[in-house]
Amino acid sequence: MNRIRLKLFFGPSLAALLLTGCMVGPKYHQPAATMQPPPATYKELPAENPPAGQWKVAQPQDAMLHGKWWEIFNDPELNSLEDQLNINNQNIKQSFENFMEARTLVTQARAQLYPTLSTAPSFRRSNPLPL
């Protein structure tokens, strides 16, 4: 009985060990690198005076307003509507309160990961024994 179990265990183990040494494909040879000089100009560089109808280089306007972008239009009605929206929008207030509550819950949960230290001071007075 033990010989059968031994054969059932060692037979597949020996086959797996022998198969791991088999070569699956040809040996890898790293291709030779051909060094070519970089081009004098890249195709992405613009011409000095590009013809009309072709693309132009982007001109980012980082000095533009980022927060209150609607003030670009110089429309007082739009400005007043946006100010009212920021003050009176209850959805924004509710979302902010939900966010703050979730942040507090996460902080409380993280606080449980750290060890705690507690003390229990006590005072006891006893009379000395008479000699």
Side-chain angles (χ1 to χ4, degrees), residues 31-60:
T34 58
M35 293 298 292
Q36 296 178 354
T41 60
Y42 293 98
K43 66 178 182 176
E44 287 83 10
L45 290 178
E48 291 298 322
N49 294 320
Q54 285 191 354
W55 62 275
K56 64 177 185 172
V57 177
Q59 298 172 350

PDB file of all heavy atoms in Angstrom, residues 31-60:
ATOM      1  N   PRO A  31      19.007  41.868 -30.643  1.00  0.00           N
ATOM      2  CA  PRO A  31      19.286  42.440 -31.962  1.00  0.00           C
ATOM      3  C   PRO A  31      20.330  43.544 -31.855  1.00  0.00           C
ATOM      4  O   PRO A  31      20.434  44.228 -30.843  1.00  0.00           O
ATOM      5  CB  PRO A  31      17.934  43.000 -32.421  1.00  0.00           C
ATOM      6  CG  PRO A  31      17.160  43.188 -31.170  1.00  0.00           C
ATOM      7  CD  PRO A  31      17.655  42.155 -30.204  1.00  0.00           C
ATOM      8  N   ALA A  32      21.092  43.669 -32.911  1.00  0.00           N
ATOM      9  CA  ALA A  32      22.131  44.696 -32.928  1.00  0.00           C
ATOM     10  C   ALA A  32      21.474  46.061 -33.059  1.00  0.00           C
ATOM     11  O   ALA A  32      20.567  46.258 -33.865  1.00  0.00           O
ATOM     12  CB  ALA A  32      23.076  44.455 -34.098  1.00  0.00           C
ATOM     13  N   ALA A  33      21.919  46.993 -32.247  1.00  0.00           N
ATOM     14  CA  ALA A  33      21.361  48.343 -32.270  1.00  0.00           C
ATOM     15  C   ALA A  33      22.032  49.145 -33.375  1.00  0.00           C
ATOM     16  O   ALA A  33      23.255  49.187 -33.469  1.00  0.00           O
ATOM     17  CB  ALA A  33      21.575  49.021 -30.932  1.00  0.00           C
ATOM     18  N   THR A  34      21.239  49.756 -34.206  1.00  0.00           N
ATOM     19  CA  THR A  34      21.785  50.609 -35.250  1.00  0.00           C
ATOM     20  C   THR A  34      21.610  52.041 -34.813  1.00  0.00           C
ATOM     21  O   THR A  34      20.498  52.501 -34.568  1.00  0.00           O
ATOM     22  CB  THR A  34      21.054  50.371 -36.579  1.00  0.00           C
ATOM     23  OG1 THR A  34      19.668  50.621 -36.380  1.00  0.00           O
ATOM     24  CG2 THR A  34      21.254  48.947 -37.066  1.00  0.00           C
ATOM     25  N   MET A  35      22.679  52.725 -34.672  1.00  0.00           N
ATOM     26  CA  MET A  35      22.635  54.113 -34.229  1.00  0.00           C
ATOM     27  C   MET A  35      22.500  55.017 -35.442  1.00  0.00           C
ATOM     28  O   MET A  35      23.368  55.031 -36.305  1.00  0.00           O
ATOM     29  CB  MET A  35      23.904  54.469 -33.449  1.00  0.00           C
ATOM     30  CG  MET A  35      24.033  53.747 -32.129  1.00  0.00           C
ATOM     31  SD  MET A  35      22.706  54.144 -30.998  1.00  0.00           S
ATOM     32  CE  MET A  35      23.067  55.847 -30.654  1.00  0.00           C
ATOM     33  N   GLN A  36      21.411  55.744 -35.484  1.00  0.00           N
ATOM     34  CA  GLN A  36      21.194  56.713 -36.543  1.00  0.00           C
ATOM     35  C   GLN A  36      21.237  58.098 -35.923  1.00  0.00           C
ATOM     36  O   GLN A  36      20.705  58.304 -34.829  1.00  0.00           O
ATOM     37  CB  GLN A  36      19.852  56.488 -37.207  1.00  0.00           C
ATOM     38  CG  GLN A  36      19.749  55.165 -37.923  1.00  0.00           C
ATOM     39  CD  GLN A  36      18.361  54.970 -38.519  1.00  0.00           C
ATOM     40  OE1 GLN A  36      17.473  55.775 -38.306  1.00  0.00           O
ATOM     41  NE2 GLN A  36      18.204  53.891 -39.256  1.00  0.00           N
ATOM     42  N   PRO A  37      21.833  59.038 -36.592  1.00  0.00           N
ATOM     43  CA  PRO A  37      21.860  60.384 -36.025  1.00  0.00           C
ATOM     44  C   PRO A  37      20.455  60.978 -36.015  1.00  0.00           C
ATOM     45  O   PRO A  37      19.635  60.663 -36.879  1.00  0.00           O
ATOM     46  CB  PRO A  37      22.781  61.152 -36.976  1.00  0.00           C
ATOM     47  CG  PRO A  37      22.720  60.402 -38.257  1.00  0.00           C
ATOM     48  CD  PRO A  37      22.516  58.970 -37.878  1.00  0.00           C
ATOM     49  N   PRO A  38      20.153  61.816 -35.023  1.00  0.00           N
ATOM     50  CA  PRO A  38      18.822  62.422 -34.979  1.00  0.00           C
ATOM     51  C   PRO A  38      18.642  63.384 -36.146  1.00  0.00           C
ATOM     52  O   PRO A  38      19.612  63.932 -36.676  1.00  0.00           O
ATOM     53  CB  PRO A  38      18.810  63.168 -33.648  1.00  0.00           C
ATOM     54  CG  PRO A  38      20.245  63.383 -33.309  1.00  0.00           C
ATOM     55  CD  PRO A  38      20.984  62.233 -33.898  1.00  0.00           C
ATOM     56  N   PRO A  39      17.418  63.596 -36.571  1.00  0.00           N
ATOM     57  CA  PRO A  39      17.198  64.509 -37.696  1.00  0.00           C
ATOM     58  C   PRO A  39      17.544  65.943 -37.294  1.00  0.00           C
ATOM     59  O   PRO A  39      17.517  66.315 -36.129  1.00  0.00           O
ATOM     60  CB  PRO A  39      15.702  64.365 -37.990  1.00  0.00           C
ATOM     61  CG  PRO A  39      15.119  63.807 -36.746  1.00  0.00           C
ATOM     62  CD  PRO A  39      16.188  63.000 -36.089  1.00  0.00           C
ATOM     63  N   ALA A  40      17.865  66.734 -38.291  1.00  0.00           N
ATOM     64  CA  ALA A  40      18.246  68.129 -38.029  1.00  0.00           C
ATOM     65  C   ALA A  40      17.076  68.910 -37.459  1.00  0.00           C
ATOM     66  O   ALA A  40      17.238  69.705 -36.538  1.00  0.00           O
ATOM     67  CB  ALA A  40      18.759  68.769 -39.304  1.00  0.00           C
ATOM     68  N   THR A  41      15.887  68.692 -37.980  1.00  0.00           N
ATOM     69  CA  THR A  41      14.688  69.343 -37.449  1.00  0.00           C
ATOM     70  C   THR A  41      13.602  68.288 -37.309  1.00  0.00           C
ATOM     71  O   THR A  41      13.572  67.303 -38.043  1.00  0.00           O
ATOM     72  CB  THR A  41      14.187  70.466 -38.376  1.00  0.00           C
ATOM     73  OG1 THR A  41      13.880  69.891 -39.642  1.00  0.00           O
ATOM     74  CG2 THR A  41      15.213  71.566 -38.531  1.00  0.00           C
ATOM     75  N   TYR A  42      12.725  68.515 -36.361  1.00  0.00           N
ATOM     76  CA  TYR A  42      11.626  67.589 -36.143  1.00  0.00           C
ATOM     77  C   TYR A  42      10.389  68.105 -36.873  1.00  0.00           C
ATOM     78  O   TYR A  42      10.222  69.309 -37.080  1.00  0.00           O
ATOM     79  CB  TYR A  42      11.345  67.445 -34.647  1.00  0.00           C
ATOM     80  CG  TYR A  42      12.470  66.773 -33.922  1.00  0.00           C
ATOM     81  CD1 TYR A  42      13.428  67.520 -33.237  1.00  0.00           C
ATOM     82  CD2 TYR A  42      12.598  65.402 -33.918  1.00  0.00           C
ATOM     83  CE1 TYR A  42      14.472  66.901 -32.576  1.00  0.00           C
ATOM     84  CE2 TYR A  42      13.631  64.775 -33.270  1.00  0.00           C
ATOM     85  CZ  TYR A  42      14.570  65.532 -32.595  1.00  0.00           C
ATOM     86  OH  TYR A  42      15.598  64.910 -31.948  1.00  0.00           O
ATOM     87  N   LYS A  43       9.518  67.205 -37.213  1.00  0.00           N
ATOM     88  CA  LYS A  43       8.332  67.602 -37.959  1.00  0.00           C
ATOM     89  C   LYS A  43       7.373  68.420 -37.101  1.00  0.00           C
ATOM     90  O   LYS A  43       6.534  69.134 -37.615  1.00  0.00           O
ATOM     91  CB  LYS A  43       7.615  66.374 -38.518  1.00  0.00           C
ATOM     92  CG  LYS A  43       7.027  65.476 -37.446  1.00  0.00           C
ATOM     93  CD  LYS A  43       6.304  64.309 -38.055  1.00  0.00           C
ATOM     94  CE  LYS A  43       5.695  63.462 -36.952  1.00  0.00           C
ATOM     95  NZ  LYS A  43       4.918  62.375 -37.469  1.00  0.00           N
ATOM     96  N   GLU A  44       7.503  68.333 -35.763  1.00  0.00           N
ATOM     97  CA  GLU A  44       6.618  69.078 -34.893  1.00  0.00           C
ATOM     98  C   GLU A  44       6.991  70.551 -34.776  1.00  0.00           C
ATOM     99  O   GLU A  44       6.202  71.359 -34.328  1.00  0.00           O
ATOM    100  CB  GLU A  44       6.601  68.468 -33.482  1.00  0.00           C
ATOM    101  CG  GLU A  44       5.847  67.154 -33.404  1.00  0.00           C
ATOM    102  CD  GLU A  44       6.697  65.973 -33.825  1.00  0.00           C
ATOM    103  OE1 GLU A  44       7.920  66.149 -33.999  1.00  0.00           O
ATOM    104  OE2 GLU A  44       6.146  64.885 -33.975  1.00  0.00           O
ATOM    105  N   LEU A  45       8.220  70.901 -35.153  1.00  0.00           N
ATOM    106  CA  LEU A  45       8.628  72.294 -35.057  1.00  0.00           C
ATOM    107  C   LEU A  45       7.924  73.111 -36.134  1.00  0.00           C
ATOM    108  O   LEU A  45       7.852  72.692 -37.298  1.00  0.00           O
ATOM    109  CB  LEU A  45      10.143  72.422 -35.216  1.00  0.00           C
ATOM    110  CG  LEU A  45      10.972  71.871 -34.065  1.00  0.00           C
ATOM    111  CD1 LEU A  45      12.455  72.006 -34.365  1.00  0.00           C
ATOM    112  CD2 LEU A  45      10.649  72.595 -32.778  1.00  0.00           C
ATOM    113  N   PRO A  46       7.414  74.293 -35.774  1.00  0.00           N
ATOM    114  CA  PRO A  46       6.708  75.094 -36.782  1.00  0.00           C
ATOM    115  C   PRO A  46       7.693  75.791 -37.709  1.00  0.00           C
ATOM    116  O   PRO A  46       8.835  76.052 -37.354  1.00  0.00           O
ATOM    117  CB  PRO A  46       5.947  76.121 -35.930  1.00  0.00           C
ATOM    118  CG  PRO A  46       6.782  76.270 -34.704  1.00  0.00           C
ATOM    119  CD  PRO A  46       7.374  74.908 -34.452  1.00  0.00           C
ATOM    120  N   ALA A  47       7.212  76.076 -38.873  1.00  0.00           N
ATOM    121  CA  ALA A  47       8.011  76.855 -39.804  1.00  0.00           C
ATOM    122  C   ALA A  47       8.011  78.302 -39.332  1.00  0.00           C
ATOM    123  O   ALA A  47       7.205  78.700 -38.497  1.00  0.00           O
ATOM    124  CB  ALA A  47       7.425  76.745 -41.210  1.00  0.00           C
ATOM    125  N   GLU A  48       8.916  79.077 -39.838  1.00  0.00           N
ATOM    126  CA  GLU A  48       9.005  80.476 -39.415  1.00  0.00           C
ATOM    127  C   GLU A  48       7.692  81.206 -39.706  1.00  0.00           C
ATOM    128  O   GLU A  48       7.153  81.893 -38.867  1.00  0.00           O
ATOM    129  CB  GLU A  48      10.176  81.164 -40.121  1.00  0.00           C
ATOM    130  CG  GLU A  48      11.530  80.667 -39.666  1.00  0.00           C
ATOM    131  CD  GLU A  48      11.771  80.927 -38.189  1.00  0.00           C
ATOM    132  OE1 GLU A  48      11.360  81.990 -37.684  1.00  0.00           O
ATOM    133  OE2 GLU A  48      12.370  80.062 -37.544  1.00  0.00           O
ATOM    134  N   ASN A  49       7.166  81.074 -40.893  1.00  0.00           N
ATOM    135  CA  ASN A  49       5.896  81.680 -41.279  1.00  0.00           C
ATOM    136  C   ASN A  49       5.021  80.585 -41.885  1.00  0.00           C
ATOM    137  O   ASN A  49       5.076  80.349 -43.094  1.00  0.00           O
ATOM    138  CB  ASN A  49       6.103  82.818 -42.290  1.00  0.00           C
ATOM    139  CG  ASN A  49       6.853  83.981 -41.679  1.00  0.00           C
ATOM    140  OD1 ASN A  49       6.603  84.338 -40.534  1.00  0.00           O
ATOM    141  ND2 ASN A  49       7.775  84.558 -42.439  1.00  0.00           N
ATOM    142  N   PRO A  50       4.220  79.893 -41.065  1.00  0.00           N
ATOM    143  CA  PRO A  50       3.421  78.810 -41.643  1.00  0.00           C
ATOM    144  C   PRO A  50       2.352  79.367 -42.571  1.00  0.00           C
ATOM    145  O   PRO A  50       1.818  80.450 -42.341  1.00  0.00           O
ATOM    146  CB  PRO A  50       2.790  78.146 -40.420  1.00  0.00           C
ATOM    147  CG  PRO A  50       2.803  79.187 -39.361  1.00  0.00           C
ATOM    148  CD  PRO A  50       3.978  80.057 -39.640  1.00  0.00           C
ATOM    149  N   PRO A  51       2.058  78.646 -43.625  1.00  0.00           N
ATOM    150  CA  PRO A  51       1.018  79.099 -44.551  1.00  0.00           C
ATOM    151  C   PRO A  51      -0.340  79.136 -43.861  1.00  0.00           C
ATOM    152  O   PRO A  51      -0.565  78.450 -42.868  1.00  0.00           O
ATOM    153  CB  PRO A  51       1.040  78.068 -45.675  1.00  0.00           C
ATOM    154  CG  PRO A  51       2.164  77.152 -45.401  1.00  0.00           C
ATOM    155  CD  PRO A  51       2.704  77.440 -44.052  1.00  0.00           C
ATOM    156  N   ALA A  52      -1.217  79.945 -44.400  1.00  0.00           N
ATOM    157  CA  ALA A  52      -2.563  80.067 -43.836  1.00  0.00           C
ATOM    158  C   ALA A  52      -3.289  78.732 -43.945  1.00  0.00           C
ATOM    159  O   ALA A  52      -3.144  78.004 -44.911  1.00  0.00           O
ATOM    160  CB  ALA A  52      -3.330  81.155 -44.573  1.00  0.00           C
ATOM    161  N   GLY A  53      -4.075  78.427 -42.932  1.00  0.00           N
ATOM    162  CA  GLY A  53      -4.821  77.176 -42.935  1.00  0.00           C
ATOM    163  C   GLY A  53      -4.107  76.048 -42.210  1.00  0.00           C
ATOM    164  O   GLY A  53      -4.690  75.013 -41.953  1.00  0.00           O
ATOM    165  N   GLN A  54      -2.831  76.236 -41.879  1.00  0.00           N
ATOM    166  CA  GLN A  54      -2.132  75.199 -41.128  1.00  0.00           C
ATOM    167  C   GLN A  54      -2.239  75.508 -39.643  1.00  0.00           C
ATOM    168  O   GLN A  54      -2.675  76.584 -39.236  1.00  0.00           O
ATOM    169  CB  GLN A  54      -0.673  75.123 -41.561  1.00  0.00           C
ATOM    170  CG  GLN A  54      -0.496  74.460 -42.907  1.00  0.00           C
ATOM    171  CD  GLN A  54       0.971  74.163 -43.179  1.00  0.00           C
ATOM    172  OE1 GLN A  54       1.837  74.547 -42.412  1.00  0.00           O
ATOM    173  NE2 GLN A  54       1.238  73.463 -44.278  1.00  0.00           N
ATOM    174  N   TRP A  55      -1.810  74.578 -38.829  1.00  0.00           N
ATOM    175  CA  TRP A  55      -1.897  74.739 -37.375  1.00  0.00           C
ATOM    176  C   TRP A  55      -0.895  75.777 -36.898  1.00  0.00           C
ATOM    177  O   TRP A  55       0.046  76.116 -37.573  1.00  0.00           O
ATOM    178  CB  TRP A  55      -1.660  73.396 -36.683  1.00  0.00           C
ATOM    179  CG  TRP A  55      -0.297  72.815 -36.926  1.00  0.00           C
ATOM    180  CD1 TRP A  55       0.097  72.059 -37.965  1.00  0.00           C
ATOM    181  CD2 TRP A  55       0.850  72.991 -36.107  1.00  0.00           C
ATOM    182  NE1 TRP A  55       1.409  71.731 -37.860  1.00  0.00           N
ATOM    183  CE2 TRP A  55       1.906  72.284 -36.714  1.00  0.00           C
ATOM    184  CE3 TRP A  55       1.106  73.651 -34.929  1.00  0.00           C
ATOM    185  CZ2 TRP A  55       3.187  72.238 -36.181  1.00  0.00           C
ATOM    186  CZ3 TRP A  55       2.375  73.593 -34.388  1.00  0.00           C
ATOM    187  CH2 TRP A  55       3.401  72.903 -35.018  1.00  0.00           C
ATOM    188  N   LYS A  56      -1.135  76.254 -35.701  1.00  0.00           N
ATOM    189  CA  LYS A  56      -0.217  77.205 -35.083  1.00  0.00           C
ATOM    190  C   LYS A  56       0.140  76.708 -33.689  1.00  0.00           C
ATOM    191  O   LYS A  56      -0.567  75.883 -33.106  1.00  0.00           O
ATOM    192  CB  LYS A  56      -0.820  78.602 -35.011  1.00  0.00           C
ATOM    193  CG  LYS A  56      -2.043  78.699 -34.128  1.00  0.00           C
ATOM    194  CD  LYS A  56      -2.527  80.121 -34.046  1.00  0.00           C
ATOM    195  CE  LYS A  56      -3.680  80.194 -33.042  1.00  0.00           C
ATOM    196  NZ  LYS A  56      -4.071  81.555 -32.788  1.00  0.00           N
ATOM    197  N   VAL A  57       1.213  77.216 -33.161  1.00  0.00           N
ATOM    198  CA  VAL A  57       1.686  76.806 -31.850  1.00  0.00           C
ATOM    199  C   VAL A  57       0.721  77.330 -30.788  1.00  0.00           C
ATOM    200  O   VAL A  57       0.234  78.462 -30.886  1.00  0.00           O
ATOM    201  CB  VAL A  57       3.111  77.347 -31.596  1.00  0.00           C
ATOM    202  CG1 VAL A  57       3.588  76.989 -30.210  1.00  0.00           C
ATOM    203  CG2 VAL A  57       4.055  76.802 -32.648  1.00  0.00           C
ATOM    204  N   ALA A  58       0.435  76.518 -29.803  1.00  0.00           N
ATOM    205  CA  ALA A  58      -0.483  76.925 -28.736  1.00  0.00           C
ATOM    206  C   ALA A  58       0.103  78.072 -27.940  1.00  0.00           C
ATOM    207  O   ALA A  58       1.314  78.149 -27.723  1.00  0.00           O
ATOM    208  CB  ALA A  58      -0.757  75.748 -27.816  1.00  0.00           C
ATOM    209  N   GLN A  59      -0.758  78.962 -27.521  1.00  0.00           N
ATOM    210  CA  GLN A  59      -0.343  80.101 -26.701  1.00  0.00           C
ATOM    211  C   GLN A  59      -1.166  80.055 -25.414  1.00  0.00           C
ATOM    212  O   GLN A  59      -2.233  80.660 -25.327  1.00  0.00           O
ATOM    213  CB  GLN A  59      -0.573  81.409 -27.450  1.00  0.00           C
ATOM    214  CG  GLN A  59       0.236  81.496 -28.722  1.00  0.00           C
ATOM    215  CD  GLN A  59      -0.139  82.712 -29.549  1.00  0.00           C
ATOM    216  OE1 GLN A  59      -1.111  83.385 -29.280  1.00  0.00           O
ATOM    217  NE2 GLN A  59       0.662  82.974 -30.567  1.00  0.00           N
ATOM    218  N   PRO A  60      -0.702  79.315 -24.397  1.00  0.00           N
ATOM    219  CA  PRO A  60      -1.488  79.184 -23.172  1.00  0.00           C
ATOM    220  C   PRO A  60      -1.626  80.519 -22.479  1.00  0.00           C
ATOM    221  O   PRO A  60      -0.722  81.349 -22.486  1.00  0.00           O
ATOM    222  CB  PRO A  60      -0.680  78.199 -22.332  1.00  0.00           C
ATOM    223  CG  PRO A  60       0.689  78.236 -22.886  1.00  0.00           C
ATOM    224  CD  PRO A  60       0.569  78.615 -24.323  1.00  0.00           C
TER     225      PRO A  60
END
